[in-house]
Amino acid sequence: MKKIGGEFQIEYKQLIEIPHTGLYSEKIYFSNGRNALKYILIQLKTKEHKSTIHVPYFICKSVIETVINLGYKINFYEVSQKYELPEEYIETINEHDLVILVNYFGFSKNKIIIQKIKNYNSNIVCIEDSVQAIYEQEKSNADFTFNSFRKFFAVPDGASITYKTALEKPNQLPQNKFHYHKLIGGILKTLKPKDTDFLDLFAKGENLIDDEKGLSGISTIGCWIYENTNKTDAQKRRKENYKLLYDIGKESNIKFLFDYDPHITPLNIPIIINNRDKIRNELFRQNIFLPIHWKLDSFNKNSLTCQYISENELSLVIDQRYNSEDIIREMDALLKLINKYNGNIL
Ligand SMILES: Cc1ncc(COP(=O)(O)O)c(C=O)c1O
């Protein structure tokens, strides 16, 4: 049965077309989201001694580690019910501080709050994390925005920064070491071996990312695959899948974390259910692998939002690998389990 979810596989056929020369892109791409953020923070630290950064509790651990390793002091904020920085928080931010705002799953409308922060003090630096919102990145009004290619596309590595405030262009960065494992894992997955064969490679790649100390860039092969990926087709399919999934879910009273928005291209569709772990485990057995965002960690264990989300959120997949048949299968399986475990609806 076709697998739904999990990391992207990489079609080896597209690698056959790789030219032997001219692989380098004009653009500078970073190896991953963390490295893109690291580059922004290093650049800013040399400027006006900015050392305090405001970060939501609701974020993945890797961002926190990146910020701490660069010696920043973190002030955490709790997101509002709309999953945004609350307006009343703005007055706690000092001139020259940095603020990270996350575009969750592609749904967040940070534009208005960023404008309010800038109106309050234009020297506060806004960094929007678009790792879950690559298609929304160009619309951002933050000073800096960064993404991560492998979250949306079948590529081993890569990330880019967009900026409103001038940023020094980095020199050519050394290729990262983790792409090899992600690439081979991705290719192996197409050959349908035992799951552990490619899962071990993916895990090794993630461990290498976690252990990396310096700054690294995209691999030449990752860059080539990324630049030759048809992002418009992927976007169209994601939007169609999202619409279909939403229509089915709405009819069955699924509790979506965000209202339907035809103008965005989401990463996943987060829902809230009871008995999330039981349901998720049973879905695994039906070859449906749905992620969660995120487990609770020591830095956010007292956040009420994070406690609630870490227990009840499930991220439904709608990406370009799937057609309407797959989405119907995903929703059928989910709805049956919701009935079985009374997982509906908090
Ligand atoms: C919101 C968010 N920001 C940043 C990152 C880090 O991205 P990367 O793993 O490419 O370094 C992630 C990773 O999942 C993320 O979900």
Side-chain angles (χ1 to χ4, degrees):
M1 204 190 302
K2 180 174 175 180
K3 283 190 168 70
I4 295 180
E7 291 204 31
F8 283 96
Q9 59 188 44
I10 296 174
E11 297 301 329
Y12 60 88
K13 284 190 201 110
Q14 61 179 322
L15 305 182
I16 296 166
E17 293 158 19
I18 290 187
H20 295 295
T21 55
L23 272 182
Y24 281 98
S25 169
E26 291 289 292
K27 294 200 177 139
I28 302 287
Y29 295 128
F30 297 85
S31 56
N32 54 25
R34 274 161 264 188
N35 263 277
L37 174 62
K38 208 188 281 182
Y39 185 75
I40 296 168
L41 295 179
I42 290 169
Q43 291 292 307
L44 291 173
K45 230 179 172 190
T46 57
K47 293 186 179 161
E48 291 153 310
H49 309 291
K50 297 183 179 78
S51 61
T52 299
I53 184 158
H54 302 260
V55 183
Y57 283 116
F58 183 35
I59 200 163
C60 67
K61 186 177 167 193
S62 66
V63 170
I64 302 300
E65 283 169 348
T66 304
V67 170
I68 288 176
N69 290 341
L70 289 171
Y72 279 88
K73 174 179 175 299
I74 303 185
N75 286 359
F76 284 103
Y77 66 88
E78 186 78 284
V79 289
S80 69
Q81 290 193 334
K82 282 159 52 189
Y83 294 88
E84 290 172 3
L85 183 143
E87 201 170 334
E88 61 276 13
Y89 185 84
I90 294 178
E91 59 192 38
T92 70
I93 308 171
N94 292 321
E95 185 161 25
H96 299 306
D97 282 359
L98 317 183
V99 186
I100 293 187
L101 305 102
V102 180
N103 187 334
Y104 298 106
F105 303 96
F107 286 91
S108 305
K109 308 269 176 291
N110 289 323
K111 231 181 175 134
I112 294 169
I113 201 74
I114 289 172
Q115 195 52 57
K116 286 186 176 158
I117 295 171
K118 287 293 186 184
N119 291 346
Y120 173 73
N121 188 326
S122 60
N123 289 324
I124 296 170
V125 178
C126 294
I127 303 170
E128 189 166 21
D129 179 333
S130 293
V131 165
Q132 298 188 333
I134 202 164
Y135 286 100
E136 314 314 311
Q137 188 173 6
E138 292 296 328
K139 303 175 202 162
S140 176
N141 56 343
D143 296 286
F144 305 99
T145 313
F146 65 96
N147 62 28
S148 179
F149 301 161
R150 71 184 195 290
K151 307 286 172 190
F152 276 82
F153 307 114
V155 299
D157 57 343
S160 66
I161 299 173
T162 54
Y163 44 91
K164 300 265 178 289
T165 300
L167 188 69
E168 222 167 90
K169 239 188 155 189
N171 297 325
Q172 196 69 48
L173 296 161
Q175 285 195 73
N176 68 78
K177 302 226 163 40
F178 71 84
H179 78 275
Y180 172 79
H181 294 86
K182 293 280 190 185
L183 179 69
I184 304 297
I187 295 171
L188 208 57
K189 195 172 174 185
T190 64
L191 304 176
K192 306 199 176 10
K194 281 205 312 289
D195 286 1
T196 46
D197 292 341
F198 58 84
L199 289 178
D200 287 352
L201 281 157
F202 287 145
K204 175 88 175 111
E206 282 303 315
N207 291 340
L208 286 171
I209 296 179
D210 290 343
D211 294 345
E212 192 185 39
K213 298 278 179 290
L215 257 184
S216 63
I218 196 169
S219 60
T220 48
I221 202 160
C223 183
W224 193 87
I225 299 173
Y226 174 71
E227 295 207 327
N228 286 282
T229 295
N230 189 330
K231 286 127 195 136
T232 314
D233 282 359
Q235 179 174 35
K236 188 165 172 284
R237 179 57 69 82
R238 270 183 189 270
K239 277 173 163 285
E240 285 166 5
N241 287 343
Y242 167 32
K243 173 85 172 63
L244 174 61
L245 183 143
Y246 187 84
D247 287 346
I248 299 172
K250 208 63 207 158
E251 223 164 73
S252 308
N253 289 326
I254 289 280
K255 184 169 175 182
F256 290 98
L257 205 59
F258 299 97
D259 289 339
Y260 182 70
D261 183 346
H263 304 295
I264 62 152
T265 310
L267 176 72
N268 300 118
I269 312 302
I271 63 164
I272 299 292
I273 49 171
N274 291 324
N275 293 320
R276 192 267 321 269
D277 290 340
K278 266 192 200 156
I279 291 174
R280 185 169 178 239
N281 286 336
E282 287 226 13
L283 288 168
F284 286 165
R285 276 179 238 129
Q286 299 180 44
N287 261 348
I288 300 173
F289 302 93
L290 302 182
I292 54 174
H293 297 90
W294 293 276
K295 285 190 190 145
L296 214 53
D297 216 291
S298 53
F299 73 88
N300 61 11
K301 65 177 189 302
N302 295 324
S303 152
L304 295 180
T305 306
C306 296
Q307 288 169 6
Y308 175 69
I309 289 285
S310 67
E311 266 181 39
N312 303 305
E313 186 271 346
L314 186 65
S315 301
L316 306 184
V317 300
I318 45 107
D319 65 69
Q320 59 272 22
R321 291 173 284 183
Y322 308 114
N323 56 27
S324 55
E325 222 174 87
D326 302 320
I327 298 298
I328 290 168
R329 189 179 127 222
E330 178 182 9
M331 290 306 277
D332 263 2
L334 175 70
L335 293 170
K336 281 193 184 118
L337 289 168
I338 285 178
N339 273 338
K340 178 171 171 190
Y341 289 114
N342 191 20
N344 229 0
I345 304 298
L346 293 170

